[in-house]
Amino acid sequence: MYETLENSTSSSLALASPVPLIEHPAQVYLATLSPGSRPAMRQALNAISRDY
């Protein structure tokens, strides 16, 4: 009945339209950090996202 992630294709997980930056979870999170912490956390989040 439900498709598991193992059986899904990358196209089935694609967004129909881009999420505005003011609503993107990672961007909202980064905005809560101090300016000095943002580059390191952005780099860490990007590294994690490349693995998935």
Side-chain angles (χ1 to χ4, degrees):
M1 183 166 152
Y2 293 104
E3 184 177 16
T4 64
L5 287 177
E6 292 83 25
N7 295 331
S8 65
T9 63
S10 61
S11 62
S12 67
L13 298 175
L15 295 173
S17 62
V19 176
L21 283 180
I22 61 170
E23 295 177 11
H24 192 283
Q27 188 63 33
V28 171
Y29 169 68
L30 289 171
T32 67
L33 301 176
S34 67
S37 299
R38 291 177 191 157
M41 186 53 69
R42 179 177 284 114
Q43 184 178 12
L45 292 171
N46 284 335
I48 292 167
S49 69
R50 281 190 294 271
D51 292 340
Y52 294 96

